[in-house]
Amino acid sequence: MKKLWQLWMASALAVLLLVGCGQEEAKPVENNESPQVETAVEETEFPITITDAVGNDITLEEAPKTIVSMMPSNTEILFALGLNEEIIGVNDYDNYPEEALEKEKIGGQEFNVEKIVSMNPDIVFAHESSLGMGEAGLQQIRDAGVKVFVVKNAADFNETYTTIEQIGRATGKLAEAQKIVEDMKAKVEEVKEKVAKVETKKTVFVETSDVPEIYTPGKGTFMQEILDMVNAENIAADQEGWFKIEPEEIVSRNPDVIIVMYSYVPGIVESVKARDGFASITAVKNDAVVQVDENLTSRTGPRLAEGLEEVAKAIYPEAFGE
């Protein structure tokens, strides 16, 4: 079950491109005065009707006072929006921020329908990625009169930004959501500027599970987007999606850096280095086997930009003065 959970969480990683916001051409300012820049902040006016990832319209008469979150990424967004008091239930795997550990647990992939209904929340934030196992349970919650909003499984940074703003709008915290997105975009640009200066592009292997079934992300995944953004080459980019790879193939492809994206194996970095044949890999020779917190890149929420930075640092520590 632990391996299944790791693979399920890894599948929450997705794909594609970060699109920057265009800027209009600057116009000359008369009388040598500095231009006054005003940022319009959109506010949510209730009642509001919002459409979720499965096309359901949810009408809220006012900002929800009690919230249940069914996915760690949802929970991180909600806490970042300042909704600690409103959150009354969270997923069993929620561990960030620390306040999430103090909240009532409602289950993991197999959530407790009766418990959620008994809590009578104003809204439940579910997640598109778990519909395969949980749609029947979500319908039971709806049938009990509880509002359920299914959050889209963000496929890239842009969709993550949209998701944060959408949850912000639904909770009356749109201004806070827009600030989170603004800060994330600034961090992304900062990271991209630093890695753009590297002279030699490095090859990277990312693994999300240990032997005997090593899985890695290929093209069309969120991790591929991250590697593209940090100016690195994915040695597994010749295949689509997440796939199993043999240790001998990793040795053959000889990556400059190996990134370990899981923490369920104690001492995994040294374990990777000690695998048969791995002593010949450049990453092992140069002590470039690095463990990165998988939650920073698998949870499509406010910490995603931090995850981008951690991956960049793992590959190009010199670009960050490390």
Side-chain angles (χ1 to χ4, degrees), residues 205-270:
F205 172 70
V206 179
E207 66 174 49
T208 59
S209 58
D210 194 17
V211 289
E213 295 185 346
I214 302 174
Y215 275 81
T216 189
K219 62 184 177 181
T221 62
F222 212 142
M223 183 53 64
Q224 180 64 59
E225 180 193 21
I226 288 174
L227 293 176
D228 289 341
M229 290 168 68
V230 301
N231 197 23
E233 180 181 343
N234 182 7
I235 67 165
D238 59 329
Q239 295 197 46
E240 190 80 26
W242 297 82
F243 63 95
K244 181 180 175 182
I245 187 170
E246 296 301 325
E248 295 78 12
E249 184 64 22
I250 302 170
V251 173
S252 174
R253 299 193 182 201
N254 191 29
D256 296 318
V257 179
I258 294 176
I259 296 179
V260 179
M261 299 292 293
Y262 55 95
S263 56
Y264 65 90
V265 179
I268 185 58
V269 170
E270 294 306 316

Side-chain angles (χ1 to χ4, degrees), residues 128-172:
E128 186 181 20
S129 66
S130 61
L131 289 180
M133 296 182 65
E135 177 55 37
L138 292 180
Q139 190 56 52
Q140 291 179 50
I141 296 172
R142 295 188 189 99
D143 292 342
V146 177
K147 298 180 187 297
V148 176
F149 184 89
V150 179
V151 176
K152 183 176 178 58
N153 184 24
D156 53 36
F157 272 80
N158 272 343
E159 289 190 353
T160 300
Y161 300 148
T162 299
T163 293
I164 292 171
E165 291 184 344
Q166 193 171 40
I167 293 177
R169 181 173 285 105
T171 55

Side-chain angles (χ1 to χ4, degrees), residues 10-72:
S11 71
L13 298 171
V15 256
L16 305 179
L17 305 169
L18 177 67
V19 180
C21 295
Q23 296 181 338
E24 295 182 357
E25 182 179 355
K27 298 180 180 179
V29 180
E30 297 180 359
N31 300 325
N32 295 321
E33 293 181 357
S34 298
Q36 298 299 312
V37 179
E38 295 184 2
T39 302
V41 177
E42 184 183 350
E43 298 291 347
T44 301
E45 294 185 5
F46 292 90
I48 184 175
T49 298
I50 50 179
T51 305
D52 70 3
V54 293
N56 291 331
D57 291 333
I58 296 92
T59 298
L60 297 167
E61 298 298 328
E62 60 181 357
K65 294 182 175 62
T66 51
I67 298 169
V68 167
S69 172
M70 301 183 69
M71 179 66 66

